[in-house]
Amino acid sequence: MTLNELDTYAPVVAMLVLTVFAVIAAVWLGRYIAADRTMRASIRQAVRVRWSWKRLAQMAGLSVTDKMPTPLAAFTSDGDKPPKPRVLTPSLKVKPDRFGIVARANCLPKVSLEQFQKAAPFLADAWRCTRVSVLPDGPGQVVIRGVRTDPLITLTEHAPTGEVPEDLVIWHLGVYEYAQPVTVALSNVPGVTVAGLPGYGKTSLINRFICDCAPAPEIQFAVADGKVSAAYEGDYADLMGRLFAFVGDDLKKANELFKRLVKLRRGRSASIKDVLGVKNLWQVGPSENWPLTVLIIDEAHTFFRDYKGSDPETKKLAALAAENARLVEDLVKKGRSVGMLVILATQKSTGDAIPTFIRDVCPVGLSFAQKTAEASVAALGDDIRNWPDANPVNLQDPAYVGVASMALQGRPGFTRLRTPYVNDAHTSEISSATAHLTYDPQTLLDYYTDHCPATLIDLDKGNDSKVA
């Protein structure tokens, strides 16, 4: 190409390059203007992190010196002077979000996951973050999460979409202290325990679960609420349309409900092979014909209390409570493979509130604020003593209403998480819109097994209508 040709094309190339940069700048500026105040702060933070990274990485010990010259450096260097060694720093890609930034970096020789984790406190100070975490992100990669505002004390509200969840058996709990989503897989899980002081978020957590799953006919719900005598008095009043059964604090009616569900469990166990062709529901997953049946027992201690006394009424209550425990034990220990899940909520999940033969076989447990270390251990196990920062006794401040501690699946130790509040108006709207999807699983089983005798085990002479 001649000089004249270069002079001809150079302005065109320069104009194209400037146009590309102008478009990129316009898009970036448009996103910045459209963002709210919190998001703008995160965008500015992300820019600072990118610009200062190479210098900060060297200061924080996240660099390595390469003394081997590149072929080009060796070819162009002065023969009397060896090429200068290169200082290599990990490449960094940064994205902002409402709580701070998420950065992904590659590892280098002698700069691996361990070095990034050791440097996390320095990065937090330099990036003006409340805390920074570093986790593996595949071979030779790490993800660095920096939160500028503490997600645990940031109140959040959840608005159900009214759409069928992508995964029917994933329970979305909220976000943990690094503002990343926390989920629990409920497949092959027989029971969940939820503990915590009154008013700290137990029922709101369960309400969200019902609202998110309500559009799916593959899940059906029953509730035993020990806080109230009638549905209209309690937290589940707005959800009645989506419950195939509800009882209050009446031990006899609760007993009838538990018997109904044990009858369902036995019928399913007897017929699952013939109906589904498998011995374990989770090989094929829940369906509208064979829904995951969720029993929620709120204020569980009401139904299992150890009554003391010799008068006839007390003896009667004691017998009902003992039988309730036996029936729920049956559901928890034998219902997993046939698609039955029990969620037990109580203030203090000690053995007198939830019998240990039930509590200790529930693989998922979380706890909101607790008054005593004994209550924390009962809810989360003895290992919580080794994780004092996550102990629920530290969550009694009003700022931590809605914050719980739990052992996350696949992660060591315990983690604190923020659960969102669900407005009663959303709850009522979702319940009304999905009420037509509510069916009694026993009726479904009887229909699809053509009234197979195995499903009609006579545990109780009560009918199958909704318990009121």
Side-chain angles (χ1 to χ4, degrees), residues 198-259:
Y200 272 82
K202 298 189 299 297
T203 303
S204 184
L205 172 72
I206 295 171
N207 279 352
R208 178 190 178 175
F209 175 56
I210 298 176
C211 287
D212 285 348
C213 297
E218 297 87 349
I219 303 179
Q220 299 296 335
F221 302 93
V223 171
D225 187 0
K227 297 192 300 291
V228 299
S229 298
Y232 67 85
E233 300 173 341
D235 297 309
Y236 299 94
D238 295 325
L239 289 167
M240 280 300 295
R242 195 58 182 87
L243 308 179
F244 74 85
F246 177 91
V247 295
D249 58 4
D250 187 303
L251 264 62
K252 184 177 180 181
K253 290 184 178 180
N255 186 263
E256 292 171 358
L257 173 60
F258 299 155
K259 283 182 177 179

Side-chain angles (χ1 to χ4, degrees), residues 234-293:
D235 297 309
Y236 299 94
D238 295 325
L239 289 167
M240 280 300 295
R242 195 58 182 87
L243 308 179
F244 74 85
F246 177 91
V247 295
D249 58 4
D250 187 303
L251 264 62
K252 184 177 180 181
K253 290 184 178 180
N255 186 263
E256 292 171 358
L257 173 60
F258 299 155
K259 283 182 177 179
R260 281 176 58 188
L261 294 175
V262 169
K263 174 184 175 182
L264 173 66
R265 198 278 305 163
R266 290 186 179 179
R268 284 187 168 189
S269 296
S271 59
I272 185 170
K273 182 69 174 177
D274 294 332
V275 177
L276 300 182
V278 296
K279 294 181 179 179
N280 189 331
L281 170 72
W282 301 109
Q283 294 178 245
V284 294
S287 64
E288 188 170 354
N289 296 347
W290 194 293
L292 172 65
T293 302

Side-chain angles (χ1 to χ4, degrees), residues 24-223:
I24 293 174
V27 170
W28 187 92
L29 184 61
R31 289 178 179 174
Y32 183 81
I33 294 174
D36 58 22
R37 182 178 179 182
T38 301
M39 194 63 190
R40 288 180 185 176
S42 294
I43 293 173
R44 294 193 299 270
Q45 183 183 26
V47 171
R48 288 196 305 270
V49 169
R50 291 191 196 100
W51 286 355
S52 64
W53 171 243
K54 284 194 173 182
R55 184 175 183 180
L56 175 62
Q58 296 180 43
M59 296 171 64
L62 299 176
S63 63
V64 63
T65 301
D66 184 3
K67 297 181 180 180
M68 178 68 71
T70 63
L72 180 61
F75 180 76
T76 58
S77 65
D78 189 340
D80 297 333
K81 295 181 180 179
K84 292 183 178 180
R86 296 179 302 151
V87 177
L88 305 180
T89 58
S91 62
L92 192 76
K93 296 181 179 179
V94 187
K95 289 185 178 181
D97 65 17
R98 299 194 63 80
F99 291 98
I101 59 99
V102 177
R104 285 178 166 79
N106 66 300
C107 297
L108 297 173
K110 296 186 178 181
V111 182
S112 61
L113 174 65
E114 182 180 355
Q115 283 67 44
F116 276 100
Q117 290 176 334
K118 288 181 179 179
F122 308 119
L123 298 180
D125 292 337
W127 293 348
R128 303 171 192 172
C129 290
T130 302
R131 60 178 76 93
V132 165
S133 74
V134 182
L135 296 172
D137 191 38
Q141 302 287 324
V142 296
V143 58
I144 309 170
R145 175 57 168 155
V147 290
R148 186 183 63 260
T149 57
D150 190 348
L152 296 180
I153 60 174
T154 302
L155 298 178
T156 56
E157 186 169 329
H158 175 68
T161 64
E163 299 178 357
V164 177
E166 292 184 8
D167 194 326
L168 293 176
V169 293
I170 294 295
W171 187 354
H172 295 270
L173 300 177
V175 296
Y176 78 120
E177 51 200 306
Y178 290 99
Q180 298 300 293
V182 177
T183 60
V184 171
L186 296 177
S187 57
N188 276 304
V189 171
V192 176
T193 60
V194 182
L197 296 174
Y200 272 82
K202 298 189 299 297
T203 303
S204 184
L205 172 72
I206 295 171
N207 279 352
R208 178 190 178 175
F209 175 56
I210 298 176
C211 287
D212 285 348
C213 297
E218 297 87 349
I219 303 179
Q220 299 296 335
F221 302 93
V223 171

Side-chain angles (χ1 to χ4, degrees), residues 302-433:
T302 302
F303 307 105
F304 307 133
R305 177 183 169 186
D306 185 13
Y307 287 86
K308 303 292 185 181
S310 57
D311 60 284
E313 183 62 26
T314 301
K315 287 183 177 180
K316 180 180 178 181
L317 292 174
L320 284 171
E323 188 177 19
N324 287 343
R326 179 182 62 78
L327 294 168
V328 173
E329 179 188 15
D330 179 285
L331 295 174
V332 173
K333 290 185 176 180
K334 301 178 183 179
R336 172 188 57 82
S337 63
V338 296
M340 303 192 74
L341 169 67
V342 180
I343 300 176
L344 302 112
T346 188
Q347 297 175 24
K348 188 172 70 169
S349 57
T350 49
D352 57 337
I354 301 178
T356 55
F357 52 79
I358 295 175
R359 184 194 68 193
D360 293 346
V361 294
C362 294
V364 178
L366 62 155
S367 177
F368 292 86
Q370 293 287 0
K371 276 280 189 180
T372 65
E374 175 198 16
S376 298
V377 170
L380 301 174
D382 194 64
D383 194 38
I384 188 61
R385 299 182 191 274
N386 300 322
W387 301 82
D389 290 344
N391 198 308
V393 296
N394 298 321
L395 301 178
Q396 297 180 58
D397 191 289
Y400 290 124
V401 171
V403 177
S405 293
M406 71 176 300
L408 296 183
Q409 296 167 332
R411 289 178 61 103
F414 294 85
T415 301
R416 296 174 297 174
L417 60 133
R418 158 67 64 178
T419 63
Y421 171 73
V422 180
N423 191 287
D424 290 343
H426 294 313
T427 301
S428 179
E429 181 180 352
I430 289 291
S431 178
S432 298

